[in-house]
C-alpha cells in the first residue's frame, strides 16, 4: 500500500487547513504521481456529490425507478439527468448574474425553489 499525505490549498475557510491521507494500491510514483492522484480523488468526490444530488435529493430516498421495461428505465434515467442538467444550468446562470462561483449555491435549495415554482404555477413550465 502507498499512503499519500496532502493538504488542500486555495479552498474556502473550511478546507484551507485540512490535511488528507489517500491510501492506494497504485504503487509506482513515476506512473502515478502523488499530486495527480490527489487531484483525481477530489474529482471523484465531485462525481459522488452529483450522484447524491440525483439519487437522494432529486429522486428522493428509497424511491426506485418504476418502469417495467429496459426502454422505460432508460427514459426515466434520461429524465433525471435532464432535470439535473436544467437545475445545474439554472444555478450557473444565477451565479453569473450575482458574480459568484456556481459551487457556492445549494443544489437542494435550487431544487426546492424549482419544485415550489412548478407547483405554485402549474402549466407554466412546459415539457
Amino acid at each position: 500500500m502507498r499512503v499519500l499525505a496532502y493538504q488542500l490549498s486555495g479552498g474556502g475557510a473550511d478546507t484551507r487547513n485540512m490535511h488528507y491521507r489517500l491510501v492506494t494500491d497504485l504503487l509506482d510514483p513515476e506512473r502515478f504521481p502523488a499530486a495527480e492522484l490527489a487531484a483525481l480523488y477530489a474529482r471523484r468526490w465531485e462525481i459522488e456529490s452529483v450522484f447524491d444530488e440525483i439519487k437522494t435529493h432529486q429522486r428522493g430516498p428509497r424511491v426506485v425507478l418504476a418502469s417495467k421495461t429496459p426502454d422505460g428505465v432508460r427514459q426515466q434515467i434520461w429524465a433525471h439527468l435532464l432535470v439535473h442538467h436544467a437545475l445545474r444550468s439554472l444555478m450557473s446562470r444565477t451565479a453569473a448574474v450575482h458574480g459568484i462561483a456556481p459551487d457556492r449555491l445549494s443544489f437542494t435549495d435550487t431544487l426546492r425553489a424549482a419544485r415550489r415554482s412548478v407547483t405554485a404555477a402549474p402549466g407554466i413550465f412546459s415539457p
Side-chain angles (χ1 to χ4, degrees):
M1 300 308 291
R2 180 176 166 204
V3 178
L4 307 173
Y6 62 97
Q7 182 177 353
L8 290 181
S9 61
D14 57 339
T15 61
R16 190 169 298 133
N17 295 318
M18 297 295 292
H19 296 271
Y20 295 90
R21 285 185 181 76
L22 174 62
V23 179
T24 181
D25 61 352
L26 303 173
L27 302 177
D28 185 353
E30 296 288 323
R31 284 185 61 200
F32 309 106
E36 185 178 326
L37 290 178
L40 288 172
Y41 190 70
R43 297 284 308 271
R44 175 197 181 259
W45 279 109
E46 289 178 20
I47 293 166
E48 292 291 335
S49 294
V50 169
F51 292 155
D52 175 67
E53 290 170 356
I54 293 171
K55 290 170 59 177
T56 304
H57 303 288
Q58 180 180 312
R59 185 188 69 194
R62 295 181 296 278
V63 174
V64 296
L65 299 175
S67 295
K68 306 288 187 224
T69 66
D71 283 341
V73 169
R74 276 190 286 276
Q75 183 179 19
Q76 280 188 279
I77 291 170
W78 275 110
H80 281 294
L81 293 173
L82 289 170
V83 168
H84 187 268
H85 178 75
L87 291 170
R88 279 288 171 185
S89 179
L90 174 63
M91 291 172 69
S92 180
R93 291 193 315 264
T94 302
V97 166
H98 294 284
I100 59 174
D103 63 355
R104 302 297 301 161
L105 299 177
S106 165
F107 177 82
T108 307
D109 289 345
T110 304
L111 176 63
R112 287 185 188 128
R115 284 180 175 158
R116 280 192 308 271
S117 71
V118 170
T119 57
I124 199 167
F125 186 71
S126 75

